[in-house]
Amino acid sequence: EIVLTQSPGTLSLSPGERATLSCRASQSVSSSYLAWYQQKPGQAPRLLIHGASVRATGIPDRFSGSGSGTDFTLTISRLEPEDFAVYYCHQYGSSPQTFGQGTKLEIK
Amino acid sequence: EVQLVESGGGLVKPGGSLRLSCAASGFTFSSYSMNWVRQAPGKGLEWVSSISISSSYIYYADSVKGRFTISRDNAKISLYLQMNSLRADDTAVYYCARSVYGDYVNDALDIWGQGTMVTVSS
């Protein structure tokens, strides 16, 4: 099983700042089958990025994904108030699929 | 509007059973692999099971293998999760979710339902 470790656990930033979230895999993720999701309290997760760097439909271009192998990054270029939430990475290249434990992005 | 709506959650005693349903609308259900993902209270996401378009390929997390059964009825545009021998650690919100690329069983998940709560407690 591929273990995904996200860092930091909590990130405190202000609107307008740049956010960099990390996801490290215990083994190489096949074909960059890595996704990122945003989840707000009481809501279902929302797909942001798949294939490590492909923005999902309707996702603003301030969200970008990068990386390959075992190291992946989600970058939010300029934080908007609605971006403060929990973010999860997800690898789907190997069975069982696994999720990271999440990074909470909070307002500083 | 593309939508998934789960139902069937509730309170059940340890060892009991529940059947979750997920009704799809707004897209061609029979063209997409489907999935169940759960989230224990205050915890992260856990993949549970996936099923291919024609039900030919089915996968389970080790934590539910032998106890849960995923199925689908393309004519009824619905996904199901039969949960038997339930344990306290199965307590979670259960989400159904659609695979991004229809015929890929292992895929990112682009459409999610609102979730249904399952509580296993005596």
Side-chain angles (χ1 to χ4, degrees):
Chain A
E1 170 176 322
I2 295 179
V3 176
L4 299 179
T5 302
Q6 293 187 238
S7 60
T10 302
L11 185 57
S12 300
L13 293 170
S14 300
E17 292 193 292
R18 180 185 186 91
T20 303
L21 287 66
S22 173
C23 177
R24 178 162 290 178
S26 60
Q27 308 167 40
S28 183
V29 176
S30 174
S31 303
S32 295
Y33 286 157
L34 193 287
W36 290 93
Y37 303 84
Q38 176 193 70
Q39 188 178 34
K40 297 179 180 179
Q43 296 184 16
R46 173 194 182 197
L47 177 65
L48 301 174
I49 301 287
H50 60 96
S53 62
V54 179
R55 264 191 305 277
T57 302
I59 301 303
D61 61 7
R62 66 179 182 273
F63 291 91
S64 63
S66 63
S68 64
T70 60
D71 289 297
F72 298 87
T73 300
L74 174 70
T75 301
I76 311 171
S77 58
R78 292 176 317 279
L79 285 166
E80 298 287 343
E82 62 268 26
D83 298 337
F84 292 91
V86 178
Y87 292 83
Y88 294 96
C89 58
H90 165 218
Q91 72 79 22
Y92 49 95
S94 300
S95 192
Q97 301 181 36
T98 50
F99 288 86
Q101 84 280 14
T103 289
K104 181 179 181 181
L105 178 56
E106 65 176 24
I107 300 177
K108 187 174 182 180
Chain B
E1 180 190 5
V2 175
Q3 197 172 6
L4 296 169
V5 179
E6 302 94 337
S7 59
L11 175 64
V12 61
K13 289 182 168 54
S17 299
L18 272 181
R19 188 194 194 206
L20 306 184
S21 299
C22 173
S25 61
F27 66 98
T28 305
F29 179 76
S30 59
S31 296
Y32 289 87
S33 294
M34 296 295 296
N35 310 265
W36 289 99
V37 175
R38 68 184 180 183
Q39 187 170 35
K43 303 297 184 182
L45 302 169
E46 180 187 14
W47 170 77
V48 173
S49 184
S50 299
I51 186 168
S52 64
I53 292 171
S54 59
S55 305
S56 298
Y57 298 96
I58 288 176
Y59 301 97
Y60 297 100
D62 285 346
S63 58
V64 307
K65 200 174 293 182
R67 301 187 299 122
F68 290 11
T69 302
I70 191 173
S71 62
R72 63 189 297 162
D73 186 332
N74 288 340
K76 294 184 177 180
I77 321 177
S78 292
L79 175 72
Y80 305 101
L81 187 67
Q82 178 66 44
M83 303 186 297
N84 298 331
S85 303
L86 283 161
R87 310 185 303 221
D89 62 358
D90 294 318
T91 294
V93 174
Y94 285 74
Y95 295 101
C96 67
R98 188 184 82 169
S99 293
V100 171
Y101 295 113
D103 55 355
Y104 284 28
V105 180
N106 292 320
D107 200 359
L109 309 174
D110 66 341
I111 304 296
W112 296 64
Q114 85 288 351
T116 187
M117 184 70 204
V118 172
T119 303
V120 184
S121 175
S122 55

